[in-house]
Amino acid sequence: METTENTPEYAPEHPARLSWTEHVPEVYKAMVRLDAAARKGVDPTLLELVKIRASQLNHCAYCLDMHTKDALAAGESVERIIQLSAWDESRHFYTERELAALELTEAVTVLTDGFVPDDVYERAAKQFEEAELAQLIAAITVINAWNRFAVSTRMAPGHYTPGQHQ
Protein backbone atom coordinates (compact mmCIF):
# COMPACT_ATOMS: atom_id res chain seq x y z
CA MET A 1 0.00 0.00 0.00
CA GLU A 2 1.47 3.31 -1.08
CA THR A 3 1.46 6.17 1.41
CA THR A 4 1.09 9.87 0.75
CA GLU A 5 1.44 12.88 2.99
CA ASN A 6 -2.14 12.47 4.32
CA THR A 7 -2.19 8.67 4.48
CA PRO A 8 -0.80 6.85 7.49
CA GLU A 9 1.80 4.18 6.98
CA TYR A 10 0.25 0.85 7.95
CA ALA A 11 2.10 -2.17 9.25
CA PRO A 12 3.12 -4.60 6.53
CA GLU A 13 0.77 -7.46 5.72
CA HIS A 14 2.03 -10.77 7.03
CA PRO A 15 2.44 -13.55 4.51
CA ALA A 16 0.46 -16.75 4.93
CA ARG A 17 2.48 -19.51 6.58
CA LEU A 18 1.24 -22.14 4.20
CA SER A 19 -1.14 -22.40 1.27
CA TRP A 20 -3.01 -25.33 2.75
CA THR A 21 -5.56 -25.52 -0.07
CA GLU A 22 -2.78 -26.27 -2.57
CA HIS A 23 -1.22 -28.99 -0.43
CA VAL A 24 -4.42 -30.79 0.54
CA PRO A 25 -6.85 -29.97 -2.28
CA GLU A 26 -9.08 -32.95 -1.49
CA VAL A 27 -9.52 -31.72 2.08
CA TYR A 28 -10.36 -28.25 0.78
CA LYS A 29 -12.89 -29.67 -1.71
CA ALA A 30 -14.43 -31.77 1.07
CA MET A 31 -14.69 -28.67 3.29
CA VAL A 32 -16.45 -26.77 0.50
CA ARG A 33 -18.94 -29.63 0.10
CA LEU A 34 -19.40 -29.84 3.88
CA ASP A 35 -19.98 -26.09 4.06
CA ALA A 36 -22.61 -26.26 1.31
CA ALA A 37 -24.39 -29.14 3.07
CA ALA A 38 -24.26 -27.42 6.48
CA ARG A 39 -25.78 -24.15 5.23
CA LYS A 40 -28.85 -25.79 3.63
CA GLY A 41 -32.01 -24.54 5.26
CA VAL A 42 -30.23 -22.05 7.55
CA ASP A 43 -31.44 -18.47 7.15
CA PRO A 44 -28.62 -16.64 5.29
CA THR A 45 -28.70 -13.62 7.63
CA LEU A 46 -28.54 -15.83 10.71
CA LEU A 47 -25.78 -17.88 9.11
CA GLU A 48 -23.58 -14.81 8.58
CA LEU A 49 -24.16 -13.61 12.16
CA VAL A 50 -23.11 -17.04 13.44
CA LYS A 51 -20.04 -17.12 11.19
CA ILE A 52 -18.97 -13.64 12.28
CA ARG A 53 -19.45 -14.42 15.98
CA ALA A 54 -17.52 -17.70 15.83
CA SER A 55 -14.76 -15.96 13.89
CA GLN A 56 -14.58 -13.22 16.52
CA LEU A 57 -14.22 -15.81 19.27
CA ASN A 58 -11.53 -17.67 17.31
CA HIS A 59 -9.69 -14.44 16.40
CA CYS A 60 -9.91 -15.35 12.73
CA ALA A 61 -9.23 -12.12 10.86
CA TYR A 62 -9.53 -13.78 7.45
CA CYS A 63 -13.02 -15.15 8.16
CA LEU A 64 -14.10 -11.91 9.85
CA ASP A 65 -13.15 -10.04 6.68
CA MET A 66 -15.04 -12.52 4.50
CA HIS A 67 -18.23 -12.90 6.50
CA THR A 68 -18.56 -9.26 7.44
CA LYS A 69 -18.32 -8.31 3.77
CA ASP A 70 -20.81 -11.03 2.79
CA ALA A 71 -23.23 -9.92 5.52
CA LEU A 72 -23.03 -6.28 4.44
CA ALA A 73 -23.50 -7.25 0.78
CA ALA A 74 -26.59 -9.27 1.78
CA GLY A 75 -28.08 -6.20 3.48
CA GLU A 76 -27.12 -6.78 7.11
CA SER A 77 -26.73 -3.53 9.05
CA VAL A 78 -23.38 -2.21 10.16
CA GLU A 79 -24.87 -1.60 13.60
CA ARG A 80 -25.84 -5.25 14.16
CA ILE A 81 -22.43 -6.45 12.96
CA ILE A 82 -20.63 -4.02 15.27
CA GLN A 83 -22.74 -5.12 18.24
CA LEU A 84 -22.02 -8.83 17.72
CA SER A 85 -18.94 -8.80 19.92
CA ALA A 86 -21.16 -7.57 22.78
CA TRP A 87 -24.44 -9.22 21.74
CA ASP A 88 -25.34 -10.22 25.28
CA GLU A 89 -25.36 -6.54 26.29
CA SER A 90 -26.98 -5.52 23.01
CA ARG A 91 -29.80 -8.06 22.96
CA HIS A 92 -32.31 -5.53 21.65
CA PHE A 93 -30.55 -5.60 18.26
CA TYR A 94 -31.44 -9.27 17.71
CA THR A 95 -34.47 -11.55 17.61
CA GLU A 96 -34.95 -14.30 20.20
CA ARG A 97 -34.08 -16.82 17.50
CA GLU A 98 -30.84 -14.99 16.68
CA LEU A 99 -29.97 -14.69 20.37
CA ALA A 100 -30.43 -18.43 20.87
CA ALA A 101 -28.22 -19.10 17.84
CA LEU A 102 -25.52 -16.70 19.04
CA GLU A 103 -25.51 -18.24 22.50
CA LEU A 104 -25.27 -21.72 20.99
CA THR A 105 -22.47 -20.52 18.70
CA GLU A 106 -20.46 -19.38 21.71
CA ALA A 107 -21.09 -22.63 23.60
CA VAL A 108 -20.06 -24.80 20.63
CA THR A 109 -17.05 -22.61 19.78
CA VAL A 110 -15.63 -22.21 23.30
CA LEU A 111 -15.60 -25.70 24.77
CA THR A 112 -13.46 -24.86 27.79
CA ASP A 113 -16.06 -26.42 30.10
CA GLY A 114 -16.06 -29.52 27.93
CA PHE A 115 -19.70 -29.40 26.86
CA VAL A 116 -22.59 -27.26 25.65
CA PRO A 117 -24.66 -26.35 28.75
CA ASP A 118 -28.15 -27.83 28.90
CA ASP A 119 -29.83 -24.44 29.35
CA VAL A 120 -28.13 -23.07 26.22
CA TYR A 121 -29.16 -26.10 24.20
CA GLU A 122 -32.73 -25.95 25.53
CA ARG A 123 -33.10 -22.27 24.57
CA ALA A 124 -31.94 -23.09 21.05
CA ALA A 125 -34.23 -26.12 20.89
CA LYS A 126 -37.21 -23.87 21.71
CA GLN A 127 -36.38 -21.59 18.77
CA PHE A 128 -35.49 -24.21 16.14
CA GLU A 129 -37.14 -27.42 14.98
CA GLU A 130 -34.86 -30.45 15.42
CA ALA A 131 -33.81 -30.53 11.75
CA GLU A 132 -33.07 -26.78 11.82
CA LEU A 133 -31.10 -27.16 15.04
CA ALA A 134 -29.05 -29.98 13.52
CA GLN A 135 -28.29 -27.75 10.50
CA LEU A 136 -27.36 -24.85 12.78
CA ILE A 137 -24.99 -27.03 14.81
CA ALA A 138 -23.46 -28.26 11.56
CA ALA A 139 -22.98 -24.68 10.33
CA ILE A 140 -21.37 -23.65 13.64
CA THR A 141 -19.06 -26.66 13.51
CA VAL A 142 -18.04 -25.94 9.91
CA ILE A 143 -17.16 -22.27 10.52
CA ASN A 144 -15.05 -23.38 13.47
CA ALA A 145 -13.16 -25.75 11.17
CA TRP A 146 -12.64 -23.00 8.58
CA ASN A 147 -11.42 -20.68 11.37
CA ARG A 148 -8.86 -23.23 12.47
CA PHE A 149 -7.45 -23.66 8.96
CA ALA A 150 -7.22 -19.88 8.47
CA VAL A 151 -5.77 -19.08 11.90
CA SER A 152 -3.18 -21.86 11.91
CA THR A 153 -1.91 -20.95 8.43
CA ARG A 154 -2.25 -17.17 9.04
CA MET A 155 -4.37 -16.43 5.99
CA ALA A 156 -4.24 -12.66 5.44
CA PRO A 157 -7.51 -10.69 5.53
CA GLY A 158 -8.41 -7.83 3.25
CA HIS A 159 -8.47 -9.42 -0.19
CA TYR A 160 -11.92 -10.99 -0.20
CA THR A 161 -14.76 -9.63 -2.31
CA PRO A 162 -18.37 -10.40 -1.34
CA GLY A 163 -19.69 -13.67 -2.77
CA GLN A 164 -16.25 -14.80 -3.90
CA HIS A 165 -16.56 -18.27 -2.32
CA GLN A 166 -20.29 -18.89 -2.60
Side-chain angles (χ1 to χ4, degrees), residues 9-101:
E9 186 174 335
Y10 294 105
E13 182 178 304
H14 64 75
R17 288 177 172 157
L18 173 73
S19 180
W20 73 273
T21 61
E22 291 176 20
H23 294 288
V24 288
E26 292 305 314
V27 173
Y28 175 71
K29 290 174 192 172
M31 283 295 299
V32 169
R33 289 190 305 272
L34 181 61
D35 189 270
R39 78 173 62 196
K40 285 187 179 178
V42 179
D43 174 79
T45 301
L46 179 66
L47 183 63
E48 291 305 328
L49 293 176
V50 162
K51 287 180 176 187
I52 293 166
R53 185 62 189 135
S55 299
Q56 288 172 336
L57 293 166
N58 289 322
H59 306 280
C60 185
Y62 182 84
C63 293
L64 278 170
D65 179 57
M66 176 187 298
H67 298 296
T68 300
K69 287 176 178 175
D70 282 345
L72 289 168
E76 183 56 80
S77 75
V78 171
E79 191 171 44
R80 283 172 31 105
I81 292 170
I82 290 169
Q83 293 301 319
L84 268 176
S85 64
W87 68 267
D88 201 27
E89 295 179 25
S90 305
R91 298 176 78 81
H92 60 285
F93 286 94
Y94 308 100
T95 67
E96 287 301 318
R97 189 172 168 91
E98 290 168 338
L99 291 168

Side-chain angles (χ1 to χ4, degrees), residues 100-111:
L102 292 170
E103 187 176 28
L104 184 63
T105 299
E106 289 197 6
V108 172
T109 301
V110 184
L111 292 172

